[in-house]
Amino acid sequence: MGRAQGIVVLGDSISAGYGLQETEGWVHLLGQRLASQCSAMPVINASVSGETSDGGVSRLPALLERHRPDVLVLELGGNDGLRGLPPSRLAGNLEKMVSLGQQAGARVVLLGMRIPPNYGRAYTERFEAVFKQVAEDNELPWVPFFLDGVVEAGQIQSDGIHPTAEAQPTLLNNAWPILQEILPKDCRQ
């Protein structure tokens, strides 16, 4: 069986497009961008609202087997933080997913997250540091804060958590520079 080409995005509600039409989300916009430049690089959105890093670890092996992606984008951790789960658990789960992805031949990209400060400074700092540490330890291309520019622009839904449709191009633009680094040359326009 030959190797498939494509990108699998494994994320939570941010990448699942919570509260949006399917065609409005950043993952769909990524697929559109690549379809016009690089039709051999399909984008599979394997994101689920409410997903934690535990869920990602349990679902990833089947996704890798089914899709055999060239690129695995990990956008998980926000729900771990909102639930106050130990940052060490998030770190371990991200490490497992990176390892699984790399063992399957995928280049792994990490989209970092920050959480509101209501859990206290120490927890918030430890949470944010996880993404940097995992990225550095594994030499991954990564975005320190995937929602950068979204909150500042007031592009959050009335629930105070999820980005609006207007924010989705910003999310794509936040991820695009690191994706460009690892995509085939004809896909980097």
Side-chain angles (χ1 to χ4, degrees):
M1 205 148 97
R3 175 138 186 94
Q5 291 187 337
I7 299 172
V8 167
V9 178
L10 180 58
D12 55 29
S13 57
I14 304 299
S15 294
Y18 178 86
L20 307 175
Q21 297 296 317
E22 183 180 338
T23 57
E24 294 176 317
W26 82 270
V27 178
H28 181 80
L29 298 177
L30 172 62
Q32 284 184 315
R33 181 177 286 182
L34 289 175
S36 66
Q37 301 166 194
C38 184
S39 59
M41 189 63 69
V43 178
I44 295 97
N45 193 349
S47 303
V48 174
S49 291
E51 187 75 280
T52 62
S53 64
D54 286 339
V57 167
S58 68
R59 289 193 313 117
L60 184 56
L63 290 168
L64 292 170
E65 176 67 28
R66 180 175 178 197
H67 300 291
R68 300 180 323 279
D70 288 322
V71 178
L72 172 64
V73 178
L74 296 175
E75 183 273 307
L76 287 170
N79 289 314
D80 296 57
L82 293 175
R83 294 175 186 182
L85 299 177
S88 59
R89 183 161 148 192
L90 171 60
N93 284 338
L94 288 173
E95 288 284 352
K96 285 178 195 170
M97 288 184 281
V98 168
S99 178
L100 288 168
Q102 290 174 336
Q103 288 171 18
R107 289 163 289 175
V108 181
V109 170
L110 185 61
L111 302 180
M113 193 54 61
R114 294 181 187 150
I115 57 169
N118 52 316
Y119 286 96
R121 184 175 171 186
Y123 180 86
T124 301
E125 288 176 357
R126 284 195 333 269
F127 175 85
E128 289 178 26
V130 164
F131 296 95
K132 180 178 183 183
Q133 193 65 55
V134 170
E136 288 179 354
D137 288 351
N138 295 281
E139 299 179 2
L140 302 178
W142 73 296
V143 174
F145 182 41
F146 184 46
L147 297 179
D148 191 33
V150 170
V151 176
E152 298 85 345
Q155 296 176 328
I156 298 292
Q157 295 179 38
S158 60
D159 64 9
I161 297 173
H162 297 98
T164 62
E166 294 75 26
Q168 301 305 304
T170 301
L171 295 178
L172 177 56
N173 289 338
N174 289 346
W176 186 246
I178 62 165
L179 288 170
Q180 276 188 306
E181 291 176 16
I182 61 173
L183 292 173
K185 286 183 184 177
D186 60 337
C187 297
R188 297 180 188 177
Q189 311 298 325

